[in-house]
Each structure stands twice: as C-alpha cells, then as structure tokens.
C-alpha cells in the first residue's frame, strides 16, 4: 500500500514549517462511523487538521458489525493485512482492509475481523463489557503495528489513543526491533478511568513474552494486566487532552492508580487541548437544526428553542431558561450532585412558570436513568428525559438550549462545553480538567465570560452556579453579550494541531538517539 498515493493532503504550511510526516492514527472509534463519546470526534477532527498542515494521516479503526462496506461503498484493499493471532505463535490471521475517505483528504482504514468485531456493540452489549475485550484489543493493537509495517510508505509516527490501542507501542518495541526502530509512538490519554485493566488470566491474550507476567511493566499495583500502564511506560511521548488534565493525572486524586507511572514520565507528558470541528458544530452550518443563526442574527436561536421545547414535550416559554445536558450518564459526569441539586431547585419553584426547564439526552447507568425518569414523572412540564443516543438531538439541544450543564467530577477535556459556546449556549461547569481550561466565568455581574464555573464539587456550589446563571438570564441586556463572547471563543484545531506536530517531532527526536538497551524478546 502506498500511503502517499492514497492520502491526498492540501499543504498549506508556510515554507518554514517542519517537514511532512506520515502518521498512522489508531482509534477504536471514529466519527461518523462509530462513536460512544468524544474520542470519536477527536479521531476524525485531529487527523483532518493535521492533513491540513500537510501531513499524511491514515486513520486505522475496526470494522464493526454495524458498518456495511458495500452499503458504504468502501474500497477493498487488494492485499489483506496479516496479523499474528498471538505474538508467540506464528499463526497469522488474514484481515481485509477497507478504506473510506473523509473530508480533508484523510483516509480511514477499517480492519475487518469477524471473530472480534463482527458483533453488535463496540466494547460490550447492553451494559455488559465483552469478556474477550483483552483479546480483541490486543489483536487490534498488534494490527495497528502491522498496518504501519505493511504500508509501502515509511510510517514515522504511530499515534495511539486510550487503552484500546495502548499495546501497540509495547508490541512495536518488542516484536519489531531492527525493523521499526525509527518509528515513534505517541499515546494520547483521553480518559484514565478506562485503562484496559484485566484479571491476570488475560495475560495470555496479550501474547507477550512470559517475563511480562511478573513485571510491573504490564501489571499494575493490584497485579492486574493493565494495557494503559504498559503504554505509559513504552510510548515515546504521552499527551493528555488538556493542560489541566495533564497535571491532574499526576496526582493521587485523579491519577486512577497510574499517577506514579505518569509522574515518572512527566518530562514526556504534555497537555494539548482538544479542538472542535466547526464545520459540523456551529449554528451557521449545522445540518440538523431547524433554523441556522449567527452572532448578528440571534433571533434564530429563539426559534430553535421553541422547536426544542415542542419536540421534547415541554410548554413553549421563551423567557424561561432551558437548561440541558448531553452526556454519557456515568459517575464521571457529576450526576450524583446534579440530580439532588435539580430536585432541590425544582421543589422550590411555585409553578411551572418559575425557575427553569431541564432537558437531558443521555445513556448510561441505570441508577441515574431511573432517578432522571422519576424527576420527569414528577415534573412533566419542566423536565424532559431522552434516553439513548441521537446525533440529531444532540445538535438540536446545542442550538435550542440556553445553558448546558457539565458538572463533571473530572473531565479530561470535554467537548460539549466547547460546542455549546459556539451556539451561544452558556456552559455551567465544574472547574476541572478541560472544563477549567475552556470556560471563563461570568462572575456576578456578567460583564465578561463565556459561562459559569463552580469550584467545589458539591451540590451547593452547583446550585449557586445554576441560580446565578438563571438570574442573569432574566436580564437579556446582560445575557446577550455573554452569548456573543461565548460564540466568539475559538477552539478550532489549528493551534492544537501544531502542538501535536511538535509532540511528534519530540517523539521522533528520541529515535535519533542510539536504541535503548532493553531485554527484548522476539515472536
Ligand atoms: P466524553 O467523551 O467523556 O463522553 P465529551 O464531551 O468529550 O465527553 O464528548 C461527548 C460527545 O458525545 C459529544 O460529541 C456529545 O455530543 C456526544 N454525546 C454524548 N452523549 C450523547 C447522546 N446521548 N446522544 C448523542 N450524542 C451524545
Ligand atoms: C474522553 C473524556 C473527554 C474528552 C474525550 C475526547 O472520553 O472523557 O473529557 O473530551 O475523551 O478527548
């Protein structure tokens, strides 16, 4: 496969810009093909931004069952990819590689493997993780390196994302010595709450040499096989998805047991803020929303709000603030303070014309979905709960709501607050991770700012922020400038793509040094 022929890029770099790189970008989900969260958004939009800077980027991802190559008119690569089933055995599995083009001239390559990916669900089905996830993603990680190896064009960087592709740097170091020594690996940490941590029995699935079974190179403090930990030790450069998160994960409180490993790599760890793809997320271009609008013509937002209230079965009330949430409903997302805060606030309003309306789109833990449904039952004219996943509704909410709630306990970066600002929907956020890096608090008088920030992770602090925002909303002369300054915030990928480029060069610079003397084993 000659990547240079497959991947057409538009080189817009100034003459002084660094040389063009060839990058394999590996991710378990990629918009618009597969998505459970923000990783999918980043896995499409960052490669696009890198391609715009002149780099050759090939995205590599699994072909899940819901993706039909024929219906999607994917191109079948002539040569199948041969992936060693287990590193030790030489038995190889032949996998078909399919290819799609996304905007910006980036190619997405899909790995087809019936055994591991020909089933419903990405990581599990109906609340239950697949039992063979260790084997599935060990195989996928090995395929990432094979893909990089079997391309005609010399790949310079393998960029892995989260635990699903985390074994790729480990495999590269141990099984491709002498062959891929010049290839640098970069690992991006999107969420340390998910580490690919498995019982020791999963060791076999990795296919790694026996000595890994007893070293802390693969095992974490609890003695579990931990894909992410291993990648933290092996990747040349590590990035976290916001500067604040890069610091937080080196503390015991937010390091999920990996803080020491991360501290040990502090010199190679850099926080780079995620960007937004404003060709998809923005009120002037959005293909899902009833009415498009812009900073000069904010009336369109009112119409989107009315449509939203109507669609979600709430009374149409232009002057009552509509608060919303679009989220995975997990422990991370702050529902343990949000639900009691809403209960308390809603109980305090005399009738449905007071206070606010609340709209939620989400999917996740039973405990939270039940509480939210109870709330909607008790306040049917104020609370609307939409369980499940809907891209269309997510866009309609961004455009129609007045405020977006993101009271996360921790948030590596967060994309919904970034999108919300572009729609003039003011985010109410807990000051953590990327939320702290992206939202400027409006203070008490609301003269400046792009949202509302609370610092203590408590119900009371959240209530105070919601009340402050609702109060300010009543005065449109104050609210409008806030909407405008939020809409003017720019989180496009341009700056962050340059920072990733720098991370790649840093990783490559390490390859110029003589190869590390490590005990290596060959498959
Ligand atoms: P995380 O990756 O932790 O879930 P982010 O804020 O980075 O959080 O990204 C969430 C992404 O998933 C956003 O694109 C958001 O619009 C989308 N999303 C979350 N829940 C839903 C849902 N129920 N339906 C549609 N989109 C959703
Ligand atoms: C993760 C994080 C989220 C981040 C996203 C994309 O899922 O929870 O904060 O925005 O990855 O990097």
């Amino acid at each position: 496969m000659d990547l240079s022929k497959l991947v057409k890029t538009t080189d817009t770099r100034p003459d002084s810009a660094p040389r063009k790189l060839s990058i394999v970008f590996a991710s378990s989900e990629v918009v618009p093909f597969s998505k459970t969260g923000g990783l999918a958004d980043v896995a499409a939009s960052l490669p696009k931004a890198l391609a715009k800077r002149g780099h050759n980027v090939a995205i590599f991802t699994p072909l899940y069952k819901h993706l039909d190559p024929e219906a999607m008119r994917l191109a079948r690569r002539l040569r199948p990819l041969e992936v060693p089933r287990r590193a030790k055995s030489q038995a190889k599995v032949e996998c078909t590689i399919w290819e799609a083009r996304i905007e910006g001239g980036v190619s997405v390559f899909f790995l087809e493997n019936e055994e591991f990916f020909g089933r419903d669900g990405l990581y599990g089905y109906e609340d239950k993780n697949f039992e063979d996830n260790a084997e599935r993603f060990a195989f996928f990680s090995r395929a990432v390196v094979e893909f990089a190896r079997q391309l005609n064009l010399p790949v310079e960087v393998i960029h892995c994302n989260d635990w699903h592709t985390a074994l790729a740097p480990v495999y590269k170091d141990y099984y491709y010595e002498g062959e891929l020594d010049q290839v640098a690996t970069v690992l991006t940490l999107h969420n340390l709450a998910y580490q690919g941590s498995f019982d020791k029995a999963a060791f076999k699935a990795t296919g790694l040499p026996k000595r890994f079974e007893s070293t802390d190179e693969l095992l974490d403090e609890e003695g579990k096989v931990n894909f992410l930990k291993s990648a933290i030790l092996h990747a040349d450069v590590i990035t976290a998805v916001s500067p604040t998160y890069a610091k937080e994960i080196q503390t015991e409180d937010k390091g999920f047991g990996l803080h020491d490993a991360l501290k040990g790599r502090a010199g190679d760890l850099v926080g780079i803020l995620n960007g937004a793809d404003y060709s998809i997320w923005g009120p002037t271009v959005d293909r899902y929303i009833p009415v498009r609008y812009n900073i000069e013509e904010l009336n369109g937002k009112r119409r989107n709000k009315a449509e939203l209230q109507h669609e979600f079965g709430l009374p149409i009330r232009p002057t009552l603030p509509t608060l919303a949430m679009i989220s995975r409903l997990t422990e991370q997302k702050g529902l343990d303070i949000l639900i009691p805060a809403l209960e308390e606030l809603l109980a305090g309003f005399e009738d449905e014309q007071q206070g606010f309306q609340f709209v939620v789109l989400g999917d996740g833990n039973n405990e939270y979905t039940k509480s939210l449904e109870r709330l909607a039952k008790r306040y049917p004219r104020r609370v609307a709960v939409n369980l499940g996943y809907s891209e269309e509704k997510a866009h309609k909410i961004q455009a129609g709501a007045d405020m977006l709630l993101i009271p996360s306990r921790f948030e590596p970066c967060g994309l919904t607050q970034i999108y919300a600002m572009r729609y003039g929907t003011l985010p109410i956020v807990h000051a953590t991770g990327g939320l702290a890096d992206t939202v400027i608090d409006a203070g008490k008088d609301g003269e400046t700012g792009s949202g509302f920030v609370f610092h203590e992770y408590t119900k009371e602090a959240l209530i105070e922020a919601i009340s402050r925002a609702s109060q300010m909303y009543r005065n449109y002369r104050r609210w409008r400038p806030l909407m405008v300054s939020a809409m003017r915030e720019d989180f496009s990928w341009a700056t962050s793509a340059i920072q990733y480029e720098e991370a790649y060069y840093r990783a490559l610079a390490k390859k110029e040094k003589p190869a590390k003397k490590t005990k290596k084993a060959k498959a």
Side-chain angles (χ1 to χ4, degrees), residues 13-279:
R13 298 166 309 153
D15 289 345
S16 58
R19 73 185 165 85
K20 209 166 171 170
L21 295 172
S22 297
I23 304 150
V24 167
F25 190 96
S27 175
S28 58
E29 40 188 281
V30 183
V31 154
F33 308 105
S34 50
K35 172 166 172 176
T36 67
L39 168 62
D41 293 15
V42 173
S45 53
L46 171 57
K48 274 200 243 172
L50 289 164
K52 207 167 168 192
R53 288 192 56 76
H55 302 294
N56 286 328
V57 194
I59 301 173
F60 190 68
T61 194
L63 185 84
Y64 295 107
K65 189 181 168 193
H66 70 271
L67 299 170
D68 177 350
E70 268 160 36
M72 290 160 64
R73 298 183 179 204
L74 300 183
R76 187 193 182 117
R77 306 295 315 145
L78 287 180
R79 239 177 68 192
L81 188 77
E82 296 193 339
V83 186
R85 156 104 214 190
R86 291 245 166 76
K88 259 188 185 166
S89 78
Q90 286 305 304
K92 296 209 170 119
V93 183
E94 280 203 353
C95 301
T96 302
I97 300 290
W98 299 91
E99 185 196 344
R101 281 290 176 91
I102 55 173
E103 285 156 56
V106 177
S107 283
V108 183
F109 295 91
F110 298 90
L111 174 86
E112 180 173 359
N113 180 275
E114 175 61 28
E115 182 187 353
F116 294 133
F117 301 112
R119 58 177 93 169
D120 291 325
L122 268 57
Y123 314 121
Y125 192 67
E126 290 184 348
D127 278 1
K128 219 172 164 279
N129 285 335
F130 294 130
E131 278 175 9
D132 57 349
N133 271 346
E135 205 168 356
R136 295 172 77 222
F137 289 102
F139 181 80
F140 184 63
S141 296
R142 187 72 195 257
V144 169
V145 191
E146 277 299 330
F147 178 70
R149 189 178 75 89
Q150 292 180 35
L151 283 171
N152 291 345
L153 188 85
V155 168
E156 288 150 296
V157 179
I158 297 178
H159 186 160
C160 303
N161 293 276
D162 277 355
W163 73 267
H164 325 94
T165 48
L167 285 187
V170 189
Y171 289 144
K172 196 209 74 113
D173 279 359
Y174 280 84
Y175 294 115
Y176 299 85
E177 195 188 12
E179 203 176 356
L180 299 180
D181 294 346
Q182 301 309 309
V183 177
T185 51
V186 172
L187 167 74
T188 295
L189 301 169
H190 295 263
N191 197 335
L192 275 192
Y194 306 94
Q195 301 184 358
S197 159
F198 304 97
D199 286 344
K200 231 177 150 187
F203 174 73
K204 241 177 89 192
T206 69
L208 283 164
K210 193 120 186 84
R211 65 173 203 78
F212 272 89
E213 205 174 354
S214 51
T215 64
D216 61 5
E217 217 171 321
L218 183 66
L219 304 185
D220 61 21
E221 281 171 5
E222 293 168 16
K224 288 189 155 185
V225 170
N226 191 315
F227 285 18
L228 204 58
K229 177 178 178 188
S230 201
I232 288 168
L233 301 180
H234 278 266
D236 294 305
V237 165
I238 302 162
T239 72
V241 289
S242 70
T244 297
Y245 193 57
K247 287 189 210 131
E248 287 175 346
I249 54 179
Q250 296 180 58
T251 65
E252 197 173 347
D253 184 34
K254 295 213 169 77
F256 285 88
L258 294 181
H259 52 285
D260 282 335
L262 285 160
K263 265 197 284 192
R265 295 293 319 265
D268 298 314
L269 169 61
V270 48
I272 305 175
L273 197 67
N274 283 337
D277 186 340
Y278 289 132
S279 69

Side-chain angles (χ1 to χ4, degrees), residues 226-404:
N226 191 315
F227 285 18
L228 204 58
K229 177 178 178 188
S230 201
I232 288 168
L233 301 180
H234 278 266
D236 294 305
V237 165
I238 302 162
T239 72
V241 289
S242 70
T244 297
Y245 193 57
K247 287 189 210 131
E248 287 175 346
I249 54 179
Q250 296 180 58
T251 65
E252 197 173 347
D253 184 34
K254 295 213 169 77
F256 285 88
L258 294 181
H259 52 285
D260 282 335
L262 285 160
K263 265 197 284 192
R265 295 293 319 265
D268 298 314
L269 169 61
V270 48
I272 305 175
L273 197 67
N274 283 337
D277 186 340
Y278 289 132
S279 69
I280 298 175
W281 295 96
T284 57
V285 293
D286 199 315
R287 65 190 179 96
Y288 292 111
I289 63 178
V291 188
R292 291 185 180 165
Y293 59 95
N294 59 45
I295 292 186
E296 275 77 44
E297 188 42 63
L298 281 173
N299 268 341
K301 184 160 178 66
R302 294 185 192 184
R303 289 184 46 203
N304 282 297
K305 174 169 173 175
E307 295 275 353
L308 180 72
Q309 290 171 324
H310 175 69
E311 185 174 336
F312 281 65
L314 296 170
I316 295 175
R317 297 201 189 287
T319 55
L320 202 61
T322 299
L323 275 62
M325 184 176 206
I326 306 163
S327 188
R328 291 182 294 114
L329 303 175
T330 64
E331 233 176 76
Q332 171 188 348
K333 299 293 180 178
L335 291 137
D336 56 336
I337 58 169
L338 179 64
I339 292 167
L342 290 173
E343 276 167 355
E344 192 172 317
L345 285 164
L346 289 165
F349 303 134
E350 272 168 25
D351 58 46
E352 65 181 58
Q353 302 194 33
Q354 277 189 11
F356 53 75
Q357 294 176 339
F358 174 64
V359 170
V360 60
L361 171 66
D363 211 356
N365 296 5
N366 246 339
E367 175 201 345
Y368 300 133
T369 55
K370 287 219 176 84
S371 307
L372 287 168
E373 278 178 328
R374 265 200 303 275
L375 209 61
K377 217 167 163 198
R378 197 168 341 142
Y379 302 104
R381 293 177 66 79
R382 281 181 253 186
V383 176
V385 175
N386 264 257
L387 298 179
Y389 186 91
S390 161
E391 202 62 33
E392 181 178 334
K393 283 181 184 154
H395 283 255
K396 286 179 169 171
I397 292 174
Q398 289 285 13
D402 298 302
M403 300 160 211
L404 195 76

